[in-house]
Amino acid sequence: MMKEPVRVAVTGPAGNIGYAILFRIASGAMFGPDQPVHLSLLERPNPRSSAALKGVMMELADCAFPLLKSMRAEQDPREAFRDADYALLIGARPRGPGMERADLLEANAAIFREQGRALNETASRNVKVIVVGNPCNTNAWIAMKNAPDLAPECFSAMLRLDQNRAMAMLAEKTRTDVTDIRHMAVWGNHSPSMAPDIWNATVKGEPADNFVTDQWIREEFIPTVGKRGSAIIAARGASSAASAASAAVDHMHDWALGADDWVTMGVPSDGSYGVPEGMIFGFPCIAKGDGTYEIVKGLTLNEEQQARIAKNIADLEEEMAAVKAFVPD
Ligand code: NAD
Ligand code: LMR
């Protein structure tokens, strides 16, 4: 039995992540094999982007996906987000070699203010928004603050790629399978200072830190996961695209349909673990299967992890202060 179609809006569909994600949404990987979709695709109104998007849409049509009920190209965010059940905010200016995320704060703040306002006006009142475009925590915060008629819980930022990277690295180190690893979380900001948490993770049901040395955790695991995005940019000359798209598929799939393990999501803090209320912060979450999630409570955090979390809070406070002109008082 097929479900009623859902409306999915995607920004930046002519970009690298766009090209890797649209075919997976339309094939059913994101919302399941019984979930038809209408796609609404928001690109910048310049001839190159419009032409590239036209080509992507031709390819989508050529796949003859049974679940793809319609698609349309839009240039106005209000039209793109009209009645959207899901919104994937991917379009942004990507970081190139040698650039820091902070350089991009202001340019992207204007985009996410406009898109937050548009979501507020026209999206479904239950819309689920994932912000992928960097700096994704702060961009998600700007969009959320500019959408006062939507619940803050409608907004999230993508840290799932960081969780996936951490799981893959730990599986390789312990010569196990990623499916042997559970409860892997990455706390904080999607930036090199993020706090991957091996101390609450397990490998084959045993505490993960029993399998590796403290030196490996501090000198290899945490910095490598944190700097993986930059390492990919250095190697590819462009930021991660297929793995980022895959993580966004995981994030939205689990948010919509549930998961049997913790999922890391950047979500508005409810004050847990001393993270200021409303800050978009990576937390381990339980995706309940009915479209809602809750932050995992009561975890023990050692002193060094508490210090990393405090550093992420300070960094995000700084980013939020830098873009405060873009959010209403
Ligand atoms: P890209 O440059 O290939 O594509 C971006 C697309 O967005 C382009 O087609 C561009 O025209 C479009 N765009 C720009 N501004 C837009 C706007 N206001 N409205 C609609 N479309 C707009 O970039 P990409 O490789 O697809 O990466 C996209 C973003 O994702 C970047 O900010 C990148 O840093 C970020 N990213 C985040 C993660 C994460 O884990 N959170 C991982 C990888 C990449
Ligand atoms: C990543 O983690 O791969 C990206 O966020 C890197 C970037 O800055 O685009």
Side-chain angles (χ1 to χ4, degrees), residues 172-202:
E172 190 185 3
K173 177 71 181 172
T174 57
R175 295 172 191 265
T176 56
D177 196 89
V178 281
T179 55
D180 295 323
I181 295 175
R182 293 182 61 81
H183 291 181
M184 175 60 78
V186 179
W187 300 77
N189 196 7
H190 175 67
S191 78
S193 66
M194 68 182 76
D197 186 349
I198 205 166
W199 295 280
N200 283 298
T202 59

Side-chain angles (χ1 to χ4, degrees), residues 17 24 51 54-55 57 119 129 153 177 197 201 257 295 302:
I17 298 176
R24 296 193 62 196
K54 188 173 169 201
M57 292 174 76
L119 285 160
V129 181
E153 292 72 28
D177 196 89
D197 186 349
L257 301 173
I295 295 169
N302 61 28

